[in-house]
């Protein structure tokens, strides 16, 4: 049969590669004398690993692997240290977090007075009239026993508009000038899917606004970040993640600017983790029109799922629940998008071959999202759509059965029990046994992932292991003990399951020949550690694509 030139060209390229098989197969680096936890069921433990061209060439015992060494190969004695696959954070906001760390006041402080002082200091360096922005404020972590209000902010900074974002990212706290700039007064009605809070006694604004009300402020805040700033943000957060053993992160709320920032950072050599970049539904039309869909890209920067948002947040207690919050009999949380909207956007993405990831925290939010996914599959069945349930926090037996049937992927918060323990009482002891339900997911062969949701949650993988294994917070309270999993399971959740969630389980997530050389060297073995001190295990080195991205 006549062969087209392009086809011939292609075969020619393959032939050229095969001319140098021995060249390709010589290890550049051999790590040996290690305690290697491979997360590969066929060969769970190994001593040595050979690396070439950013990939793993071979894994095995010291003798066999050292035997592969040619004179030029570097050898590194691990001194018996433990090696795990690099961690995959399957739901995080690295690009936005990097920018925040670059420009905003870090309000992760323990009193309102401390926050006021930090804002005052930033205001003094900010030209009059320009916005002072803060992030990582957490009303449950200040000693005052009450949330920040408009008077606190007016007292601290009277002549700059101030907006402080809650750690959870769904609520904001503003001063009077900020409300003025946003065109909001005491009588402004709540926007659809949002809330502007008032003092119940006086009816005046109390400073807090939630969910879609944020976008009113977004329009008033000048977006002054340059393309370089975005790249710098990725560079900054790259270093922070690498230090903790993370080699991949799923950017859960990506925009075209984020996608560009990842590419720019990669080009400048500053991208130290692999980014699976979700695209917010607002950009889906132009993405589809350009012929883009999930999976486009390469192992460093790849297009992820389309992101939808169904309900509110766990840390700010706005997740939509079927039964009210403890002590707040009329509060069931918030639905952000309607089922119709979720379906309309979901259908477009589903038909165009996109994976879909929908933020769904409460049992009502998860039920709604599953109904949409079930309908999409019923109307237009697709092979292996890997629907994702971002967070998927509060579950019940019916939801679990439907998740299993759909083959959907939950990405529950990994560090919340440990780090946000003080918020758990709002959900109650009984409900906690059905939240961040890794035990239930794994028992039902549902491939749940490790996910920080940073900034709302901490991203440290060793903290995730401790939180998931002990279900114990920093004060020693145990929350939802029925959902405890083992250290071995938690490691798999944080590695191979994360790879599956981005269709990359054949590329990474375990240490085996042919996969990417992404790994972390730990100071102690998590499998031999007392579970209550897992978080203290030091990360000594992190490698992504055969290159050390962090060395202690
Ligand atoms: Zn998120």
């Amino acid at each position: 049969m006549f062969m087209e030139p392009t086809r011939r060209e292609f075969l020619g390229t393959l032939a050229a590669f095969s001319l140098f098989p021995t060249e390709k197969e010589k290890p550049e680096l051999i790590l040996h004398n290690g305690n290697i936890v491979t997360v590969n069921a066929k060969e769970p433990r190994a001593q040595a690993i050979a690396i070439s061209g950013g990939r793993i060439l071979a894994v095995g015992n010291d003798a066999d692997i050292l035997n592969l060494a040619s004179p030029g190969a570097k050898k590194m004695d691990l001194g018996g240290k433990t090696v795990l696959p690099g961690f995959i954070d399957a739901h995080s906001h690295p690009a936005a977090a990097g920018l925040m760390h670059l420009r905003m006041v870090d309000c992760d402080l323990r009193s309102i007075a401390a926050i006021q002082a930090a804002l005052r200091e930033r205001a003094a360096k900010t030209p009059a009239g320009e916005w002072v922005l803060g992030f990582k404020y957490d009303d449950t972590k200040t000693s005052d026993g009450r949330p920040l209000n408009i008077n606190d902010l007016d007292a601290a900074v009277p002549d700059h508009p101030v907006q402080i974002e809650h750690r959870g990212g769904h609520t904001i706290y503003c001063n009077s000038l900020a409300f003025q700039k946003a065109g909001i007064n005491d009588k402004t009605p709540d926007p659809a899917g949002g809330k502007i809070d008032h003092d119940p006694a006086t009816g005046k604004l109390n400073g807090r606004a939630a969910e879609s009300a944020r976008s009113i402020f977004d329009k008033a805040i000048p977006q002054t970040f340059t393309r370089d700033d975005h790249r710098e943000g990725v560079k900054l957060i790259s270093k922070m993640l690498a230090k903790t053993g993370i080699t991949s992160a799923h950017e859960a709320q990506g925009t075209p600017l984020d996608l560009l920032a990842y590419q720019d950072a990669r080009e400048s050599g500053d991208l130290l983790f692999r980014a699976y970049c979700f695209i917010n539904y607002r950009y889906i039309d132009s993405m589809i029109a350009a012929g883009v869909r999930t999976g486009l890209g390469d192992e460093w920067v790849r297009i992820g799922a389309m992101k939808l948002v169904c309900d509110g947040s766990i840390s700010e207690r706005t997740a939509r629940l079927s039964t009210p919050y403890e002590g707040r009999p009329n509060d069931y949380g918030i639905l952000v998008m309607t089922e119709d909207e979720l379906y309309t956007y979901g259908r477009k993405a589903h038909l165009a071959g996109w994976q879909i990831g929908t933020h769904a925290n409460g049992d009502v939010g998860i039920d709604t999202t599953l109904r949409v996914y079930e309908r999409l599959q019923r109307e237009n069945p697709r092979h292996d759509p890997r629907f994702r349930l971002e967070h998927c926090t509060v579950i019940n037996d019916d939801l679990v059965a439907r998740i299993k049937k759909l083959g959907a992927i939950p990405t529950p918060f990994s560090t919340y029990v440990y780090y946000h323990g003080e918020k758990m009482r709002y959900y109650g002891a009984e409900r906690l046994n059905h939240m961040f339900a890794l035990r239930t997911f794994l028992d039902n062969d549902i491939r749940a992932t490790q996910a920080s949701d940073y900034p709302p949650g901490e991203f440290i993988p060793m903290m995730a292991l401790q939180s998931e294994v002990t279900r114990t917070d920093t004060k020693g309270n145990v929350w939802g003990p029925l959902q405890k999993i083992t250290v071995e399971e938690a490691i798999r959740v944080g590695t191979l399951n994360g790879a599956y969630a981005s269709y990359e389980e054949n590329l990474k997530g375990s240490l085996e020949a042919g996969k990417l050389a992404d790994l972390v060297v730990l100071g102690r073995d998590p499998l031999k550690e007392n579970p209550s001190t897992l978080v203290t295990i030091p990360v000594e080195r992190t490698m992504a694509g055969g290159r050390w991205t962090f060395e202690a």
Side-chain angles (χ1 to χ4, degrees), residues 26-326:
K26 275 182 199 160
E28 291 156 9
L29 172 66
I30 290 177
L31 307 178
H32 62 99
N33 187 25
N35 167 38
I36 302 176
V37 179
T38 65
V39 192
N40 171 9
K42 286 184 213 113
E43 190 186 11
R45 296 291 182 276
Q47 291 175 304
I49 184 164
I51 293 162
S52 174
R55 296 224 177 204
I56 297 168
L57 209 56
V59 180
N61 64 42
D62 278 343
D64 289 350
I65 301 300
L66 285 168
N67 205 26
L68 300 173
S70 55
K74 271 193 225 151
K75 289 177 207 166
M76 191 180 137
D77 185 340
L78 292 166
K81 291 279 164 64
T82 297
V83 176
L84 304 182
F87 279 92
I88 299 174
D89 189 339
H91 184 118
S92 177
H93 301 274
L99 275 181
M100 288 173 179
H101 279 285
L102 209 58
R103 284 292 167 79
M104 292 163 86
V105 179
D106 189 338
C107 294
D108 186 12
L109 299 166
R110 296 296 166 258
S111 71
I112 289 174
I115 294 168
Q116 287 177 307
L119 294 172
R120 227 175 260 128
E121 195 189 317
R122 179 63 60 99
K125 292 184 246 165
T126 307
E130 282 185 18
W131 287 79
V132 170
L133 304 170
F135 78 126
K136 277 165 84 177
Y137 163 64
D138 189 332
D139 62 304
T140 65
K141 290 195 192 293
T142 52
S143 55
D144 308 75
R146 66 167 179 87
L148 201 58
N149 64 39
I150 196 165
N151 300 325
D152 301 323
L153 296 173
D154 285 345
V157 183
D159 28 293
H160 297 73
V162 175
Q163 179 189 282
I164 310 295
E165 196 175 293
H166 194 279
R167 177 127 203 178
H170 293 247
T171 53
I172 49 171
Y173 297 76
C174 302
N175 70 354
S176 295
L177 198 50
F179 279 104
Q180 215 177 299
K181 293 241 178 196
I184 296 172
N185 60 39
D186 295 339
K187 297 196 172 57
T188 306
D190 288 342
K195 207 163 180 297
I196 301 164
D197 282 3
H198 298 85
D199 183 322
T202 63
K204 289 186 178 310
L205 296 167
N206 73 3
R208 183 179 179 271
E211 302 299 342
S212 75
R214 289 200 53 174
S215 54
I216 309 175
F217 289 88
D218 289 347
K219 280 175 208 137
I221 300 170
Q223 298 297 316
T224 52
F225 292 114
T226 64
R227 186 169 165 182
D228 275 349
D229 291 335
H230 284 273
R231 183 183 42 74
E232 280 296 315
V234 172
K235 178 179 177 178
L236 184 63
I237 198 78
S238 274
K239 289 183 186 153
M240 292 169 69
L241 299 185
K243 229 177 153 168
T244 68
I246 292 172
T247 53
S248 292
H250 298 184
E251 165 65 62
Q253 188 68 284
T255 65
L257 273 178
D258 296 331
L259 190 58
L260 186 62
Y262 286 122
Q263 294 174 76
D264 284 349
R266 184 206 185 160
E267 201 170 285
S268 61
D270 296 315
L271 182 64
L272 305 181
F273 65 93
R274 305 177 189 280
Y276 185 62
C277 190
F278 278 38
I279 299 294
N280 182 282
Y281 69 93
R282 289 188 182 89
Y283 306 98
I284 198 68
D285 286 334
S286 51
M287 287 280 172
I288 291 172
V292 174
R293 68 169 169 149
T294 302
L296 182 69
D298 65 9
E299 67 248 30
W300 279 101
V301 182
R302 197 186 294 284
I303 301 282
M306 176 186 73
K307 174 70 176 291
L308 295 170
V309 180
C310 183
D311 69 341
S313 98
I314 288 297
S315 65
E316 291 144 296
R317 286 86 68 207
T318 54
R320 180 73 177 201
L321 304 171
S322 59
T323 52
Y325 286 82
E326 298 290 307

Side-chain angles (χ1 to χ4, degrees), residues 481-513:
L482 297 183
Q483 294 298 337
K484 284 181 187 175
I485 60 171
T486 68
V487 176
E488 189 119 28
E489 287 170 329
I491 291 170
R492 174 176 288 261
V493 163
T495 55
L496 196 54
N497 285 13
Y500 179 80
S502 62
Y503 293 91
E504 291 173 304
E505 70 275 17
N506 294 320
L507 197 60
K508 60 189 184 186
S510 60
L511 300 174
E512 50 190 301

Side-chain angles (χ1 to χ4, degrees), residues 321-333 426-427 431:
L321 304 171
S322 59
T323 52
Y325 286 82
E326 298 290 307
R328 297 194 293 184
N330 297 315
D331 189 355
Y332 293 82
Y426 291 98
Y427 295 94
R431 195 153 30 197

Side-chain angles (χ1 to χ4, degrees), residues 310-424:
C310 183
D311 69 341
S313 98
I314 288 297
S315 65
E316 291 144 296
R317 286 86 68 207
T318 54
R320 180 73 177 201
L321 304 171
S322 59
T323 52
Y325 286 82
E326 298 290 307
R328 297 194 293 184
N330 297 315
D331 189 355
Y332 293 82
I334 300 175
L335 278 180
V336 178
M337 288 173 83
T338 66
E339 190 169 335
D340 269 357
E341 284 176 299
L342 295 173
Y343 171 74
T344 305
Y345 283 103
R347 184 170 185 275
K348 275 188 208 178
H350 185 69
L351 290 176
W354 283 70
Q355 186 183 31
I356 304 170
T358 306
H359 170 116
N361 264 315
D363 50 354
V364 174
I366 298 166
D367 174 52
T368 307
T369 303
L370 283 173
R371 234 182 357 258
V372 171
Y373 288 167
E374 286 157 351
R375 183 173 169 196
L376 292 175
Q377 252 330 58
R378 195 168 56 239
E379 292 175 352
N380 293 284
R382 241 179 70 195
H383 173 66
D384 202 12
R386 298 196 196 183
F387 292 117
R388 294 177 47 142
L389 293 155
E390 303 306 318
H391 314 316
C392 195
T393 306
V394 183
I395 52 118
N396 58 45
D397 291 346
D398 168 61
L399 298 177
V400 171
R402 289 160 67 197
I403 292 167
K404 185 177 179 176
K405 189 158 177 244
L406 260 182
I409 300 165
T411 64
F413 299 107
S414 308
T415 57
Y416 266 35
V417 170
Y418 175 83
Y419 190 76
H420 285 309
E422 70 280 343
K423 296 169 189 75
M424 295 307 136

